[in-house]
Amino acid sequence: YSFTLRDNLTIADEAQENVEEAAAAALRNSCCEDILKQAGRGLDTNLTRFFAADGIELSGGQHQKLALARTFFRRHTALILDEPSSNIDPKAENEIFQALQSLTQGKMTIFTSHRLSNVFLAKRIIVLERGKVVEDGTQEELLRNKQRYAELFKYQQEKYMVGEAPC
């Protein structure tokens, strides 16, 4: 949003106590340290130059990470995330899913993803096709059943298993 970094976070939970500490944790857990380093006035930096000459402009990936930071800032018992890593580089994606794994312990989390590598933390996977549930189970069960999920998993797996790594 075209507000300050602080406002972008606190809009998610205006009653949050210890805003500075909660903001720092949320930004760290969503890999947003780069945004904070860029922000000349810290949390009081505007996230656009439209309202302030010293504001900063964020990339698409930074906007995605900030949306996740807003999610982490909010005290919650359930999360619903739609493609939480859609605009994020692979390193940040890995870090975010590691953070999600620890931050969602004991909480219900629902997320959509077309990248099947992200479902490693799911206890239950529901495969939808044309608005209908076609499979439901753990990753192990779905791979063992060799139906639609296994087929899609194989397509994505093949992209990464093409010979030796160049390194």
Side-chain angles (χ1 to χ4, degrees):
Y1 303 107
S2 296
F3 306 136
T4 65
L5 183 53
R6 178 186 312 278
D7 291 340
N8 266 273
L9 295 170
T10 59
I11 197 169
D13 189 348
E14 293 177 349
Q16 177 73 262
E17 296 173 15
N18 238 336
V19 170
E20 304 289 324
E21 188 177 309
L27 292 168
R28 182 178 56 255
N29 290 327
S30 62
C31 303
C32 283
E33 288 96 351
D34 60 329
I35 295 172
L36 196 52
K37 286 178 187 170
Q38 209 181 327
R41 291 190 295 133
L43 293 176
D44 296 317
T45 303
N46 282 301
L47 297 186
T48 181
R49 290 193 186 103
F50 188 73
F51 297 113
D54 63 347
I56 58 175
E57 300 291 339
L58 302 181
S59 69
Q62 287 175 315
H63 278 289
Q64 182 81 17
K65 290 192 272 185
L66 185 57
L68 282 169
R70 213 174 2 263
T71 300
F72 294 149
F73 183 83
R74 183 181 181 94
R75 293 166 290 181
H76 61 276
T77 56
L79 282 175
I80 300 175
L81 305 168
D82 182 17
E83 296 283 358
S85 62
S86 62
N87 291 317
I88 298 175
D89 66 82
K91 181 179 184 289
E93 178 180 47
N94 182 57
E95 292 167 353
I96 286 168
F97 273 94
Q98 301 252 334
L100 272 173
Q101 191 167 21
S102 66
L103 293 169
T104 59
Q105 291 297 316
K107 299 175 182 179
M108 181 176 63
T109 306
I110 298 171
F111 71 91
T112 62
S113 182
H114 289 88
R115 292 187 212 163
L116 302 184
S117 61
N118 292 337
V119 300
F120 71 93
L121 61 95
K123 291 181 181 154
R124 180 177 174 196
I125 300 167
I126 299 172
V127 181
L128 300 173
E129 200 163 59
R130 294 185 177 96
K132 305 259 189 241
V133 174
V134 295
E135 285 188 275
D136 180 356
T138 66
Q139 181 164 343
E140 294 78 22
E141 292 168 344
L142 297 179
L143 289 173
R144 197 171 40 246
N145 291 345
K146 297 181 180 177
Q147 294 178 16
R148 187 65 174 146
Y149 180 84
E151 178 186 6
L152 297 170
F153 189 89
K154 183 180 174 197
Y155 292 146
Q156 290 187 13
Q157 183 182 41
E158 288 173 353
K159 300 282 190 250
Y160 294 102
M161 305 303 282
V162 184
E164 295 296 313
C167 301

